[in-house]
Amino acid sequence: MKVILNDDVKHLGEMGDVKNVANGYARNYLFPHGYALPYNEETVAYFEGKKAEIEARKEQKRADSKTLKEKLEGLTVELVVPAGANGKLYGAVTNQSLVDYFNKNGYEIERKRIEIPGLTIKNCGSYTFKVHLYEAAIAEVKLTVKPQEEKVEAADTAKGKKDSKAKAAEDEKKPAEEEAPADAE
């Protein structure tokens, strides 16, 4: 079924685009939600009248993506993650990790728009990843993955003190226990 999109629809198109979709998708989802209108002479005439408005929206999106591209390319993302002594990460840096970083820093970028070479990063170091913006605009962003300061040594030292205290307490109990049976005889 041929429809004209009345609003931007993810994974389908933008306002004013003419698309061929399945009949059920159009009748059960697009039409009831007001995302599309059937393709006919009336709707074509309606969208011809709104053509200037639609082009203005698209131009605004292009300008916004150009500004965002400049900001992102000037940015160096630094992630501090737990890693072993050899620089191998205990987990991995994924596009979701980057989305979380961007959300904390005031950027709204979808997970599917981030492209990491090899899908995940499993070692510390410097990398470059891509963010797909509006239309063909792609920003290449620098990423530095650093190992987290290890607090394991401090934890081991504290654990060692606890173990030695527990051992000392056990040593004190053992002589008393060993003497008790001797008194009973």
Side-chain angles (χ1 to χ4, degrees):
M1 173 180 278
K2 207 170 190 180
V3 297
I4 298 178
L5 298 179
N6 196 29
D7 200 359
D8 294 352
V9 180
K10 279 187 182 180
H11 311 296
L12 186 59
E14 297 178 336
M15 180 182 210
D17 290 352
V18 176
K19 297 288 180 175
N20 278 322
V21 297
N23 291 343
Y25 182 55
R27 279 185 270 131
N28 297 325
Y29 181 71
L30 296 176
F31 295 158
H33 289 98
Y35 294 142
L37 298 170
Y39 183 84
N40 57 35
E41 292 176 16
E42 293 172 15
T43 55
V44 170
Y46 172 74
F47 280 99
E48 286 296 322
K50 291 179 73 173
K51 196 171 193 171
E53 178 187 330
I54 293 169
E55 281 303 315
R57 279 184 61 190
K58 287 182 179 183
E59 191 58 42
Q60 181 63 37
K61 286 182 182 180
R62 286 184 194 105
D64 291 346
S65 73
K66 184 177 178 183
T67 305
L68 183 58
K69 179 180 177 181
E70 291 171 0
K71 285 181 184 178
L72 290 176
E73 287 183 343
L75 179 71
T76 299
V77 176
E78 289 188 15
L79 294 178
V80 179
V81 292
N86 60 355
K88 186 166 175 73
L89 303 182
Y90 291 134
V93 174
T94 62
N95 51 5
Q96 184 61 49
S97 308
L98 296 169
V99 167
D100 294 340
Y101 173 85
F102 284 132
N103 286 341
K104 288 179 186 175
N105 292 302
Y107 296 98
E108 287 188 34
I109 298 175
E110 294 176 14
R111 179 179 57 85
K112 292 181 180 182
R113 295 193 174 274
I114 296 174
E115 180 184 332
I116 297 176
L119 300 177
T120 60
I121 295 172
K122 297 183 180 182
N123 293 309
C124 295
S126 296
Y127 301 90
T128 302
F129 65 94
K130 295 179 182 178
V131 178
H132 295 271
L133 303 169
Y134 185 72
E135 292 177 341
I138 298 174
E140 291 194 11
V141 185
K142 295 175 187 143
L143 169 67
T144 304
V145 180
K146 296 182 178 180
Q148 188 175 23
E149 295 283 327
E150 290 194 30
K151 297 180 181 177
V152 176
E153 294 173 12
D156 285 344
T157 307
K159 185 178 178 186
K161 288 180 183 176
K162 286 181 185 176
D163 287 343
S164 63
K165 287 181 183 179
K167 209 173 217 182
E170 286 178 21
D171 290 341
E172 289 177 16
K173 288 181 183 178
K174 282 184 181 178
E177 290 173 0
E178 290 172 7
E179 291 175 14
D183 291 338
E185 291 177 13

